[in-house]
């Protein structure tokens, strides 16, 4: 009896499992006809979906194998070039830009549309005569700094210019940054002055990059640059917060001294004290100089830039002297 009972139980389980399997397959067929396979996966657990996804992935990988095997060496090379350019998931790539002669553009720090021809016809002899107490204080401060720099550099014109540019590139960045923050705080436009001052800072930085190509600074000069920049940036930041009028007047006089320094540099080149070496490639491309340009041509266009900066900063100080804000007057954008 026990054996008969056990056999009947086993038969019942087998027949029940078979019926359940038949029910599952019949349900699947029905669901496929009705287009409800997604609901069926939800009802009968995730195992069905996992097996199906694995099968589809396997088939897709198998189908792609012949394409990979049949790929040519040229395609592999192009893939390697793309992987070398695309450095991240986001696919940021540098556009392929060519110069007018068809060669590849060599610079990452500026593009062809950032280049220009300097206006060398500008009057380099203009001087703003100090009128107010603020003007006189700014003028005397600049003259004091000029004495210190002349004592240190003497007739090393290249090193003097390099140090001058590390300082001259700070005010435009500080002024543009503070005007940017002010525009965010007060919800008004800047009249273009943010862009104008940042253009000035970038132009001064390009002066520095050019001078570094001509003058290889020693370690003690690099240390001096770090010290001067750290001190000057923080001082000018506070200076601009307290009195933008005086800060721009100070920069105007600073640019006047820069014009004077580059004029002396040109005189040294013409007299033979400084060798008139070929212009660096970065200067030729940035200022659109001829291929046979020399150091004299480079100093000439840099001096013209400094004269423009002189006029812009004296103009900005005059706006404040009239009781207005910079946004009330159009900014001189586009001369770079």
């Amino acid at each position: 009896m026990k054996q008969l009972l056990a056999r009947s139980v086993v038969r019942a389980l087998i027949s029940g499992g078979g019926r359940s399997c038949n029910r599952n397959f019949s349900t699947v067929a029905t669901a496929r006809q009705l287009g409800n396979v997604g609901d069926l996966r939800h009802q009968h657990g995730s195992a069905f979906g996992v097996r199906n996804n694995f099968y589809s992935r396997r088939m897709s990988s198998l189908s792609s194998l012949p394409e990979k095997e049949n790929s040519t060496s040229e395609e592999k090379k192009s893939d390697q070039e793309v992987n070398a350019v695309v450095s991240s998931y986001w696919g940021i790539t540098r556009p392929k830009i060519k110069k007018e002669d068809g060669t590849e553009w060599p610079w990452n720090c500026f593009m062809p549309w950032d280049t220009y021809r300097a206006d060398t016809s500008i009057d380099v002899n203009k001087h703003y005569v100090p009128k107010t107490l603020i003007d006189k204080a700014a003028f005397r401060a600049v003259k004091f700094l000029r004495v210190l720099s002349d004592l240190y550099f003497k007739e090393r014109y290249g090193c003097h210019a390099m140090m001058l540019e590390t300082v001259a590139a700070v005010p435009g960045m500080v002024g543009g940054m503070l005007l940017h923050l002010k525009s965010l705080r007060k919800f008004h436009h800047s009249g273009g002055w943010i862009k104008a001052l940042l253009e000035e800072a970038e132009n001064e930085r390009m002066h520095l990059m050019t001078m570094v190509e001509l003058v290889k600074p020693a370690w003690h000069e690099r240390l001096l640059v770090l010290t001067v920049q750290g001190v000057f940036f923080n001082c000018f930041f506070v200076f601009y917060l307290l009195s933008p009028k005086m800060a721009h007047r100070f920069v105007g006089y600073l640019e006047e001294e820069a014009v004077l320094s580059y004029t002396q540099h040109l005189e040294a080149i013409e007299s033979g004290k400084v060798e008139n070496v070929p212009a660096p490639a970065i200067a030729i491309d940035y200022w659109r100089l001829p291929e046979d340009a020399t150091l004299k041509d480079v100093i000439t266009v840099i001096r013209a830039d400094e004269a423009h900066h002189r006029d812009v900063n004296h103009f900005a100080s005059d706006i404040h002297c009239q009781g207005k804000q910079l946004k009330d007057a159009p900014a001189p954008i586009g001369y770079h």
Side-chain angles (χ1 to χ4, degrees):
M1 288 296 293
K2 292 182 178 180
Q3 293 179 352
L4 291 174
L5 181 61
R7 289 176 182 175
S8 63
V9 171
V10 170
R11 288 174 182 173
L13 291 174
I14 293 173
S15 62
R19 284 194 298 271
S20 65
C21 290
N22 290 334
R23 283 197 303 270
N24 287 339
F25 282 113
S26 64
T27 310
V28 169
T30 305
R32 285 177 177 170
Q33 294 174 0
L34 297 175
N36 295 326
V37 177
D39 296 337
L40 177 65
R41 290 176 182 173
H42 178 71
Q43 294 173 2
H44 292 276
S46 60
F48 179 86
V50 171
R51 287 196 298 270
N52 193 24
N53 288 337
F54 174 78
Y55 179 78
S56 63
R57 287 198 303 270
R58 179 65 176 169
M59 292 303 294
S60 64
S61 63
L62 289 175
S63 63
S64 63
L65 282 176
E67 295 180 2
K68 291 183 179 179
E69 291 175 357
N70 295 330
S71 61
T72 62
S73 59
E74 293 180 358
E75 291 174 347
K76 291 180 179 179
K77 185 177 179 180
S78 63
D79 290 341
Q80 291 176 356
E81 291 176 354
V82 170
N83 292 332
V85 174
V86 179
S87 58
S88 71
Y89 167 80
W90 308 108
I92 304 300
T93 60
R94 180 182 183 273
K96 292 184 178 180
I97 302 172
K98 295 186 180 296
K99 299 171 67 174
E100 294 179 355
D101 58 3
T103 59
E104 187 176 355
W105 183 256
W107 311 106
N108 290 327
C109 54
F110 66 99
M111 293 292 112
W113 49 85
D114 297 322
T115 65
Y116 65 101
R117 288 183 175 87
D119 180 14
T120 56
S121 64
I122 189 171
D123 185 4
V124 297
N125 297 316
K126 282 200 301 186
H127 167 64
Y128 185 88
V129 179
K131 300 175 183 177
T132 65
L133 182 61
I134 288 178
D135 296 343
K136 293 178 181 178
F139 179 73
R140 292 184 182 277
V142 170
K143 285 298 184 181
F144 174 73
L145 294 175
R146 176 60 189 256
V147 171
L148 294 179
S149 63
D150 285 346
L151 289 175
Y152 182 81
F153 292 104
K154 297 180 180 179
E155 292 187 352
R156 291 181 296 162
Y157 299 102
C159 295
H160 192 180
M162 182 196 65
M163 175 58 68
L164 178 66
E165 298 302 343
T166 61
V167 173
V170 172
M173 179 59 65
V174 172
M177 176 184 66
L178 291 176
L179 287 179
H180 175 74
L181 296 176
K182 184 178 181 180
S183 177
L184 298 179
R185 287 195 311 270
K186 296 193 173 183
F187 311 110
H188 60 56
H189 295 287
S190 68
W193 279 95
I194 297 174
K195 184 176 179 61
L197 293 179
L198 293 182
E199 278 184 355
E200 177 183 318
E202 173 64 11
N203 182 249
E204 296 284 8
R205 191 186 66 83
M206 290 303 298
H207 293 177
L208 175 63
M209 295 298 103
T210 301
M211 297 311 301
V212 168
E213 292 290 326
L214 296 167
V215 181
K216 305 301 180 183
W219 68 269
H220 57 88
E221 291 171 339
R222 291 179 178 271
L223 181 61
L224 181 62
V225 168
L226 289 173
T227 305
V228 171
Q229 187 183 86
V231 173
F232 183 73
F233 176 87
N234 289 283
C235 291
F236 191 81
F237 180 84
V238 177
F239 192 17
Y240 200 97
L241 285 175
L242 296 176
S243 177
K245 173 172 57 177
M246 187 174 181
H248 281 291
R249 188 70 74 200
F250 173 86
V251 177
Y253 285 128
L254 191 67
E255 298 295 354
E256 287 186 13
E257 293 301 322
V259 171
L260 177 60
S261 295
Y262 283 116
T263 299
Q264 293 174 350
H265 199 164
L266 283 173
E267 292 173 354
I269 294 173
E270 292 171 354
S271 64
K273 291 183 180 179
V274 176
E275 184 182 358
N276 191 20
V277 297
I282 190 173
I284 292 175
D285 288 337
Y286 183 68
W287 282 285
R288 303 178 190 174
L289 297 174
E291 293 296 330
D292 59 348
T294 62
L295 176 60
K296 181 179 179 180
D297 300 317
V298 175
I299 300 302
T300 300
V301 294
I302 291 178
R303 184 179 65 170
D305 288 345
E306 303 293 3
H308 281 292
H309 301 163
R310 170 203 64 195
D311 295 348
V312 169
N313 281 277
H314 281 314
F315 174 61
S317 184
D318 288 343
I319 295 171
H320 285 288
C321 289
Q322 296 171 8
K324 300 179 181 179
Q325 297 184 23
L326 292 183
K327 68 181 183 67
D328 299 326
I333 301 174
Y335 64 88
H336 286 129

